[in-house]
Amino acid sequence: MRPKRTTLLVLLLLPTPACDAPSLAQVCAASNTTPVSVDVRATVERGVWPHEPAGFTPVSDGIPGVSQESGWICEGDVSLATDHLVFNYRPGFQSGYAPGVMYLDLPTPTPETYFGFYWKPSNPWESHRSGVNKMALLFPATSSGGTIYIMMFHDGSRYTIQVETTFDTDTRRLEPNMTATPVVLGAWHQIEWYVRYSSNPSSRDGVVRWWLDGVLQGEYTDLQMPPDAGFTQYTIRPVWGGGVGDAKQQLDSFSYGRVRISKR
């Protein structure tokens, strides 16, 4: 579901100025009114994005939410430190939801984009029984047109980075078809994600590629996107699970460092 700006109830109950200030990490959720301790060690990022296409126009580069000028909107339980964000999944957290969300809207749609970020899953991590542990999403201009998201997927024995489309015109899970690098829990990783729209409503020539720590994991060139002008929203919304009915048994977290977004 696409995040909306009209979350009046949450805003009225915020105990802090939400995610706009780079002070000590504060929870920007009504359900938690005390600060959350955050690991403030610097991430491994160096500001280098090796697979960003040449000639792309930068949209955002930095830690989302550290300034009001960043354009990112914060909702829910998101802890903010000077060098990264933390999404905490507390015991009892229900599947099918995310602790919070950070999202960035584009004024005009783009049919081709690059979305890179530094990310760390906690160790240990309790996977959902569906294997789905979402990391980030791209929303098209058609509000009901579905989405495409990147996730840490658990196949019962290991975690890999995979992509899934939920478009009306194309719904499927895209497994690594180049390299299936196992994800190391508790470590910082660089995620790079490139997506290009299909050229027309029936061409099935949309493209997605993604990298983990510089290594190409998957490449598909037969996607069919909705019949619109492109993507309009970048979302960090780490939904746990592919459905409702389960609850976390332990405290887990996803952390995000520097984010780089650009477009054609």
Side-chain angles (χ1 to χ4, degrees), residues 44-46 48-49 117-119 188-190 255-258:
V44 295
E45 62 91 1
R46 295 292 181 269
V48 176
W49 307 96
F117 53 91
Y118 286 88
W119 160 82
W188 283 103
H189 298 282
Q190 185 184 52
S255 298
Y256 293 80
R258 186 170 181 172

Side-chain angles (χ1 to χ4, degrees), residues 147-161:
T147 186
I148 183 171
Y149 61 83
I150 191 165
M151 63 178 167
M152 179 176 73
F153 187 82
H154 191 242
D155 64 5
S157 62
R158 64 175 180 172
Y159 294 99
T160 56
I161 303 302

Side-chain angles (χ1 to χ4, degrees), residues 43-52 61 114-121 135 150 161 181 183-184 187-193 210-217 255 257-260:
T43 68
V44 295
E45 62 91 1
R46 295 292 181 269
V48 176
W49 307 96
H51 300 102
E52 181 180 31
D61 188 6
Y114 172 89
F115 193 171
F117 53 91
Y118 286 88
W119 160 82
K120 180 177 73 171
M135 300 155 63
I150 191 165
I161 303 302
T181 305
V183 174
V184 177
W188 283 103
H189 298 282
Q190 185 184 52
I191 304 295
E192 296 178 274
W193 187 22
W210 67 97
W211 295 260
L212 172 63
D213 298 328
V215 178
L216 181 64
Q217 304 293 295
S255 298
R258 186 170 181 172
V259 175
R260 171 75 175 185

Side-chain angles (χ1 to χ4, degrees), residues 16-254:
T16 68
C19 297
D20 291 331
S23 58
L24 292 177
Q26 300 287 317
V27 177
C28 56
S31 59
N32 297 282
T33 57
T34 57
V36 173
S37 176
V38 172
D39 177 6
V40 295
R41 290 175 298 175
T43 68
V44 295
E45 62 91 1
R46 295 292 181 269
V48 176
W49 307 96
H51 300 102
E52 181 180 31
F56 268 33
T57 301
V59 174
S60 181
D61 188 6
I63 310 300
V66 299
S67 70
Q68 293 181 344
E69 292 75 25
S70 69
W72 287 88
I73 305 298
C74 165
E75 297 175 0
D77 186 353
V78 185
S79 302
L80 175 62
T82 55
D83 66 342
H84 63 281
L85 305 169
V86 179
F87 294 77
N88 287 298
Y89 305 79
R90 307 171 196 280
F93 185 88
Q94 296 296 303
S95 61
Y97 299 93
V101 60
M102 298 286 297
Y103 63 94
L104 177 68
D105 289 326
L106 287 181
T108 57
T110 182
E112 189 175 6
T113 192
Y114 172 89
F115 193 171
F117 53 91
Y118 286 88
W119 160 82
K120 180 177 73 171
S122 63
N123 186 16
W125 170 265
E126 178 189 1
S127 181
H128 188 261
R129 59 181 171 177
S130 67
V132 174
N133 306 278
K134 297 179 184 178
M135 300 155 63
L137 306 90
L138 288 168
F139 285 94
T142 303
S143 60
S144 60
T147 186
I148 183 171
Y149 61 83
I150 191 165
M151 63 178 167
M152 179 176 73
F153 187 82
H154 191 242
D155 64 5
S157 62
R158 64 175 180 172
Y159 294 99
T160 56
I161 303 302
Q162 302 192 15
V163 169
E164 185 158 336
T165 58
T166 63
F167 302 127
D168 292 338
T169 51
D170 193 346
T171 299
R172 52 182 160 149
R173 179 165 59 89
L174 306 175
E175 300 182 25
N177 59 1
M178 304 299 282
T179 307
T181 305
V183 174
V184 177
L185 298 176
W188 283 103
H189 298 282
Q190 185 184 52
I191 304 295
E192 296 178 274
W193 187 22
Y194 166 84
V195 187
R196 189 185 72 203
Y197 248 57
S198 43
S199 55
N200 65 58
S202 60
S203 58
R204 299 203 68 86
D205 59 356
V207 176
V208 62
R209 301 186 186 100
W210 67 97
W211 295 260
L212 172 63
D213 298 328
V215 178
L216 181 64
Q217 304 293 295
E219 179 178 28
Y220 289 79
T221 59
D222 61 346
L223 275 63
Q224 187 61 60
M225 279 70 169
D228 57 38
F231 297 112
T232 58
Q233 187 181 94
Y234 302 86
T235 306
I236 296 174
R237 185 171 180 260
V239 174
W240 180 60
V244 298
D246 292 327
K248 282 279 191 182
Q249 302 300 307
Q250 63 188 41
L251 176 63
D252 290 334
S253 66
F254 270 6

